[in-house]
Structures are given as structure tokens and as C-alpha cells.
Amino acid sequence: MNGEEIPIALILVLGASALYFGFEVDRRRKKLHAIFDTFDKEESRIATALEAMVESGQLRPFSLIAQS
Amino acid sequence: MDDQAQAHEPAESPPPFDLDLRSKECDRVLDPDAQRFNFFLIDTGWNEPISKLVQKHFPKHLHHHSPKDQLFILTPEQSVEVLRQAPYEIGHDPVILVYDLYSRDVGKARNYKGFRLALGMIRHPEQAMARLQEFFRFLVMNRQSEHLDREIRRSLHREGFEGMIKILHESTPEIA
């Protein structure tokens, strides 16, 4: 009886660990995506605002030479 | 505008110009010396240590690594105004937005293409600096890449066991 319970408990622990590991990797991958990723629709909305700022003259290209 | 009129134009206020951030179709090999990107630095200044680091190092390094590309640095007020369009990014700044001018994919041409680096999500300046260095490494290595979005996804997905370990290592202490 005990001999059968130990492997089952071991399998359960290992299974739970694998599940936790999988979830944790996925969670951290999502965080990395939040830091560095390709554009989605929201950045397209920002782009329109940025274009308008440049066209109105409020925003100009930065020049390192002009700053020094 | 004639030469005389140009001569009277104040030097510190050049005329505004049109800027189209949408990607254009490109069917030839990209010239390594031509402009490829438009960079925007959005920074309200709330994350002071990271903000100082980015303002100090980013323009200088961009000028060295990517001299043909244009950089626009928004004031804190302009940054607030822009973040109103994307409230989900509030608190993630300083954010560097990179608009890619070229697309090999005809279907995706005339869309806004590019990527972002949200350094305000990082707690420690040393970790932000490491990210910035990695960002420049990625830019220089993939500057002529025809499918930049694929390269980004490849670098992010980090497949396999080694990739998982890298994810655990990279994201552990740095993210707020």
C-alpha cells in the first residue's frame, strides 16, 4: 500500500512543480514582452499624435551637435 | 521660398515638416547607410533614475550606432499628451518607440511598423543600462534585416529549455 502511495505522491509533486515552472516561465515571458515588443494598434494611435506634433512644429528632430 | 526670405528665417525656428511614420514597401536590399528608423523618446520623468540614465546615454549612443536615423525627444508635457492616446503605457516610460520605414511585406506596407522598449518598467538603473545595451546590439545586428518583426519575436520567445532558463534569469529582479 505504502509502496504504491509514494510513487503517486512523487508524481503529483513533480507534476505540480512542472505546472508551476510552466506558468512562471509564461508569466515572465509576458513581462519581457511588456518591456520589448513589436507594435500593436495602440502604438499606431500614438503615431498619429506624434506625426501631428512634428507637422505643427512642436516637435523637432534632436541634434546632438546643436546640444553641445 | 526665395534665398532672401530664407536668410531672414530665424535659425532656431526652422519650418515644420511632414513626417510619415508608416512603412513603405521595399523590394530591394536595404542600404546600410540609409535611414531606416524614426526614434521617439517619451519620458514624463516619473522614474527619475531611469529617466536620467536614458536622457544621458540614449541620444549619444544612437548618434554613434545609427547616425542616419532621426530621433525626437518629447518634453515631459508632450509625453503626457501622447500617453493620453495610450493610457496603458502610463508608468512604463521612459519608452523608446522605433518606427520602421520599410517593409518587405506588401500587405503590411503603409501600416505603422516597429517596436518599443519600455525602460520605465525596470527598477534598477544598472538593469536598464543592460537592456539599453542589448537594444543597441539588436539594432546594429538586425539593421538590414528584411523581417525585423520576426527577429524580435525570435529573440523574445526563447524556445527550449535553455530559453526558459534565460527568461527566468533575465526577468528575475529587474521588473517593477
Side-chain angles (χ1 to χ4, degrees):
Chain A
M1 185 78 180
N2 265 352
E4 281 175 19
E5 280 173 5
I6 292 166
I8 290 169
L10 191 68
I11 289 165
L12 280 174
V13 168
L14 287 176
S17 306
L19 261 176
Y20 173 75
F21 186 72
F23 279 123
E24 190 60 19
V25 168
D26 189 51
R27 192 177 67 87
R28 292 188 185 193
R29 185 177 276 147
K30 279 178 185 159
K31 282 188 176 180
L32 289 175
H33 273 265
I35 293 179
F36 181 51
D37 206 354
T38 48
F39 283 170
D40 44 35
K41 280 178 188 168
E42 276 72 16
E43 273 87 6
S44 300
R45 251 186 284 157
I46 294 180
T48 316
L50 292 170
E51 284 171 338
M53 274 183 179
V54 173
E55 279 165 31
S56 68
Q58 290 177 60
L59 189 58
R60 295 181 188 286
F62 176 83
S63 164
L64 202 64
I65 297 144
Q67 298 295 311
S68 55
Chain B
M1 195 184 285
D2 62 8
D3 287 344
Q4 206 177 4
Q6 268 185 335
H8 288 96
E9 191 86 30
E12 58 274 8
S13 59
F17 62 95
D18 285 343
L19 181 73
D20 187 0
L21 295 172
R22 280 170 291 197
S23 66
K24 294 146 192 77
E25 192 191 335
C26 182
D27 52 2
R28 58 191 155 73
V29 177
L30 292 164
D31 179 356
D33 295 322
Q35 183 190 4
R36 172 148 192 194
F37 304 113
N38 281 302
F39 291 83
F40 289 85
L41 175 57
I42 298 171
D43 185 11
T44 57
W46 78 274
N47 190 340
E48 216 179 321
I50 308 294
S51 178
K52 273 185 186 168
L53 177 134
V54 174
Q55 298 276 355
K56 184 180 174 191
H57 294 284
F58 181 65
K60 193 170 66 183
H61 288 281
L62 184 66
H63 179 72
H64 293 320
H65 293 297
S66 206
K68 299 286 176 184
D69 296 327
Q70 279 192 316
L71 167 65
F72 298 85
I73 300 179
L74 281 76
T75 63
E77 294 76 21
Q78 288 170 333
S79 300
V80 169
E81 199 182 319
V82 163
L83 288 179
R84 274 199 206 112
Q85 310 292 321
Y88 72 98
E89 287 282 16
I90 292 172
H92 295 179
D93 60 289
V95 176
I96 296 164
L97 295 179
V98 188
Y99 289 90
D100 190 354
L101 288 173
Y102 296 106
S103 174
R104 291 287 276 197
D105 189 343
V106 185
K108 286 183 180 171
R110 303 308 297 156
N111 283 339
Y112 295 105
K113 276 186 71 217
F115 46 100
R116 61 146 196 280
L117 179 69
L119 288 168
M121 294 184 79
I122 299 172
R123 278 197 204 118
H124 307 291
E126 315 85 65
Q127 298 283 0
M129 192 63 183
R131 282 276 150 191
L132 201 55
Q133 287 166 346
E134 198 183 333
F135 175 76
F136 276 118
R137 202 175 304 130
F138 177 85
L139 267 181
V140 173
M141 286 172 71
N142 295 289
R143 188 175 175 80
Q144 284 176 272
S145 169
E146 291 171 7
H147 300 282
L148 207 56
D149 43 356
R150 274 188 215 163
E151 300 299 335
I152 291 167
R153 281 196 286 272
R154 197 174 298 155
S155 85
L156 280 169
H157 285 178
R158 306 213 188 287
E159 282 157 4
F161 186 72
E162 202 185 330
M164 284 189 207
I165 300 297
K166 207 168 176 188
I167 283 174
L168 292 173
H169 172 72
E170 282 181 5
S171 60
T172 313
E174 66 186 73
I175 303 170

